Amino acid sequence: ARPDRTDLERLHEGALEDLAGGASSLEVDLRRLADSPTVDEIAELLARILEGVHLDYISLAVAGPGTAPARALLQVAGASKAGATVALNLDPVGFAAISGVTPEQARAELRECCQLAAQRLLAGVGRVRIEKALRADGGVWSDAGGSNVQELAGVLATTAEYLRGLTAQQASSVPLERAFDAVSWRLSVTTRFFSQISKLRAARILFGRMVEASGVAGRPLLLEAMTARRVLTTRDNKVNLLRSTATTFGAVLGGADIVKAAAFDAVTAAADDEEHSRARRLARNTQVILMEESSLGLVADPAGGAWAIESQSVELSRFAWQLFQEIEQRGGMIEVLASGWLHEHISRVADQLLR
C-alpha cells in the first residue's frame, strides 16, 4: 500500500536527518508500493518527502518498477528553480527477474524504459541533469544466491539489453557512446573481503572490455556498491554493524564510486522509530569514519599491485565474460530468464552455498 501521512512524515524526517548527518545523495525506494500509483501521485509523494531539501546540493534517485517513478522524479526535479542532478535508475530486466513477468511483458517494459531514457537523454529536461538513466543491478542475482561470476555476467548481459534498447529507438536513437554513459552498475558486497575487492575491480575490467568490443572510445563506469542483504542477520542484529563495516571497507578498496552501508535493522524493519533512527545514524557514521578518520578516499587504487587480488580479478573477469557470451548465444538476458535457464544456473550455486 501507499505510505500514509505518518509514513511520509517519517520518510521526510529521515531524509533531512540523513543529509544533515553527512549523506551526499538520496535514493527513494518505491518498489514496495503495491497498488501501482500514477505519475502524479508518486510526484506528490516525492514532493512531500523532499520538502525543504535543496535539490541542487545533492544527487537524487528513485528505484521502482516501470517508468512512473522516473517520470515522477523528473517532474519534481523539473519544478526546482535551482536545478537538480538525478539518476532515473530504470531497471526493467532486474524487475522482470524478481517479479516473474511474462517474456512479452518484460520486452514491452524494456522498450518503454529505453524509449523514456532515450527521449530524456536527447531532449533534456530544463535545468535537470540526468546523471544516469538505466542501472544494471547485480544485487538481483546476488540475493538469489548467485556467485561473483554470475553477478558480473548478469550485469554485463543486462547492460547489453539496455545498449540495444537505447540504440534501436526509431525516432530517438542514442549514439552508442552516450548509451554507455547512460548506464550504471550496482553490485552487492558480502563479508568475503578479498573476493569482493576482486569482484569490483573485475567489474571495471569487464566494462572496459565491453566498450572495446563495441568499437567506441573508452567510457567511464559509475560503479555503485551496497551491503548484500544475504549477509545480514535477523537475530542479534547488532552483529550487522560489523558486517556492514566490512562490506563498506571492501567496497571502497574495490574502487566503488558510490557506497551504501546497510543499517543494522535493514532486514528486521524495526517498528521503533528511535531504534531505526539510531540504525541509520550508525550506518552513515560508518561511512564518514572510514572516509575521514581512516582516510580511505585519499588513496587511489589501494589494492593495485597485490598479486592475489590482481590475479583473482583477472580470473573472475575471464569466467564472467565466458558466461556472458553463453547468455548472449542463448538469445540474451530476457530469453534466458523466460526459459528458466539462468534461474537453474544460479540455483545450483545457491544450493551449494547453503550446504
Side-chain angles (χ1 to χ4, degrees):
R2 295 177 206 162
D4 58 24
R5 183 177 297 275
T6 303
D7 292 329
L8 289 172
E9 290 175 357
R10 186 184 300 116
L11 291 170
H12 176 240
E13 291 171 0
L16 296 179
E17 183 182 334
D18 285 344
L19 292 172
S24 58
S25 63
L26 286 177
E27 180 173 10
V28 182
D29 191 342
L30 300 170
R31 288 175 293 183
R32 295 186 180 181
L33 291 179
D35 50 348
S36 302
T38 65
V39 172
D40 288 339
E41 289 172 334
I42 296 176
E44 183 182 353
L45 294 178
L46 289 175
R48 291 173 67 183
I49 293 170
L50 298 171
E51 184 178 353
V53 175
H54 295 281
L55 300 185
D56 53 322
Y57 289 169
I58 66 169
S59 176
L60 183 62
V62 290
T67 60
R71 293 181 189 275
L73 175 62
L74 291 171
Q75 183 175 317
V76 172
S80 172
K81 295 180 180 180
T85 298
V86 301
L88 304 182
N89 290 344
L90 296 162
D91 188 17
V93 171
F95 176 70
I98 294 172
S99 62
V101 298
T102 65
E104 292 74 20
Q105 290 174 313
R107 293 188 187 95
E109 193 78 15
L110 177 63
R111 285 193 298 271
E112 184 180 1
C113 288
C114 288
Q115 183 179 21
L116 172 64
Q119 290 173 348
R120 297 307 185 187
L121 287 170
L122 294 175
V125 191
R127 290 181 295 274
V128 178
R129 185 176 80 87
I130 299 178
E131 188 174 33
K132 295 293 176 181
L134 294 142
R135 179 170 68 187
D137 189 355
V140 174
W141 323 112
S142 174
D143 289 347
S147 66
N148 292 336
V149 168
Q150 290 168 331
E151 184 178 2
L152 290 168
V155 293
L156 273 171
T158 299
T159 300
E161 294 284 7
Y162 294 161
L163 294 175
R164 285 191 287 264
L166 288 172
T167 56
Q169 298 295 318
Q170 294 181 353
S172 54
S173 179
V174 177
L176 190 54
E177 293 86 352
R178 291 195 66 182
F180 271 109
D181 292 340
V183 181
S184 65
W185 286 11
R186 180 163 76 174
L187 297 177
S188 291
V189 182
T190 71
T191 52
R192 299 193 175 212
F193 191 72
F194 293 107
S195 70
Q196 299 308 289
I197 295 174
S198 300
K199 179 174 72 175
L200 293 169
R201 292 171 61 82
R204 295 198 183 277
I205 296 174
L206 289 165
F207 189 81
R209 186 170 182 180
M210 175 178 268
V211 170
E212 182 181 3
S214 301
V216 301
R219 315 306 298 177
L221 169 65
L222 180 66
L223 183 58
E224 180 183 335
M226 63 182 297
T227 303
R229 288 181 62 83
R230 74 188 197 190
V231 305
L232 301 176
T233 180
T234 58
R235 297 182 179 181
D236 190 16
N237 62 8
K238 303 301 189 299
V239 173
N240 292 334
L241 287 168
L242 299 175
R243 298 180 180 182
S244 183
T245 300
T247 60
T248 302
F249 193 76
V252 175
L253 295 190
D257 300 299
I258 301 173
V259 180
K260 294 182 179 179
F264 67 74
D265 66 341
V267 293
T268 53
D272 187 314
D273 286 349
E274 184 177 347
E275 177 82 351
H276 183 58
S277 177
R278 181 164 58 251
R280 291 165 65 98
R281 177 174 58 82
L282 290 171
R284 292 193 307 271
N285 288 350
T286 295
Q287 297 176 87
V288 172
I289 289 171
L290 289 176
M291 178 174 64
E292 299 294 343
E293 296 188 17
S294 299
S295 302
L296 296 188
L298 299 182
V299 182
D301 193 18
W307 180 86
I309 293 175
E310 295 275 12
S311 59
Q312 190 174 29
S313 300
V314 172
E315 185 179 53
L316 280 173
S317 64
R318 179 165 59 87
F319 286 120
W321 188 262
Q322 291 174 356
L323 180 55
F324 162 61
Q325 289 181 313
E326 184 172 359
I327 292 172
E328 288 294 285
Q329 289 169 1
R330 291 176 178 271
M333 181 58 81
I334 299 295
E335 290 299 324
V336 297
L337 286 175
S339 66
W341 178 84
L342 184 58
H343 289 90
E344 293 176 5
H345 200 277
I346 290 177
S347 293
R348 289 195 295 270
V349 173
D351 289 342
Q352 294 176 357
L353 187 67
L354 293 173
R355 290 175 185 171

